[in-house]
Amino acid sequence: MTSPASDGIEVRRVTADEWMLWRAARLEALRESPAAFGSQLTDWIEAPESRWRERLSVPGAHDLLAVDGEHVVGMITGMPVADDPSRTELISMWVAPSARGTGLAADLIDRIVDWATEAGASVLDLSVMPDNPSAHRAYERAGFTPLDEPGDLLPDGRREIRMRRTLR
């Protein structure tokens, strides 16, 4: 499924059969913005095809890439929470420097909000690194608010910031 985004950028849903395209985008995101993710480039650079296909085969997940011509300029995933169908998570959000400030981040978030709402979820959760203020602001502009619950523990002892948006 492909649909227009902003400024000629096309957003498309990807499947496990498109693992190489997702792999290239994810590795670029981890190279370009290493502090923005809980995963590191070293966690994925040598990953076999089966791991990439597994990542794109989570039942009910919604994996999107934003493509400008031949270049992937954004990615995002909506992930169902297995033990709670009322909750979904936004993960793997990234916008390339060349597409920042264009509204692409808001567009990608809106698409995951729409997907989660259609899937029947009542909340959309995410985690953001504590030293990523631009992502934090983008999520706040998209209607997310910080939660009091601690996020995952980071290697340096800090914790990710958990945020939530109520969908209905």
Side-chain angles (χ1 to χ4, degrees), residues 39-110:
S39 295
Q40 300 299 310
L41 183 60
T42 56
D43 298 332
W44 284 93
I45 194 133
E46 298 295 329
E49 176 181 340
S50 60
R51 185 171 178 206
W52 291 102
R53 284 183 174 277
E54 182 179 306
R55 165 60 183 81
L56 293 170
S57 297
V58 174
H62 195 68
D63 301 295
L64 302 176
L65 289 178
V67 182
D68 186 3
E70 297 292 316
H71 304 285
V72 175
V73 294
M75 64 190 312
I76 193 168
T77 292
M79 188 72 67
V81 175
D83 61 349
D84 186 350
S86 71
R87 289 181 48 234
T88 53
E89 288 191 304
L90 183 158
I91 65 170
S92 300
M93 171 77 176
W94 174 73
V95 174
S98 64
R100 292 178 188 158
T102 65
L104 180 59
D107 182 50
L108 290 171
I109 293 167
D110 286 347

Side-chain angles (χ1 to χ4, degrees), residues 140-151:
E140 285 182 331
R141 284 191 303 271
F144 289 85
T145 56
L147 297 173
D148 289 333
E149 66 187 56

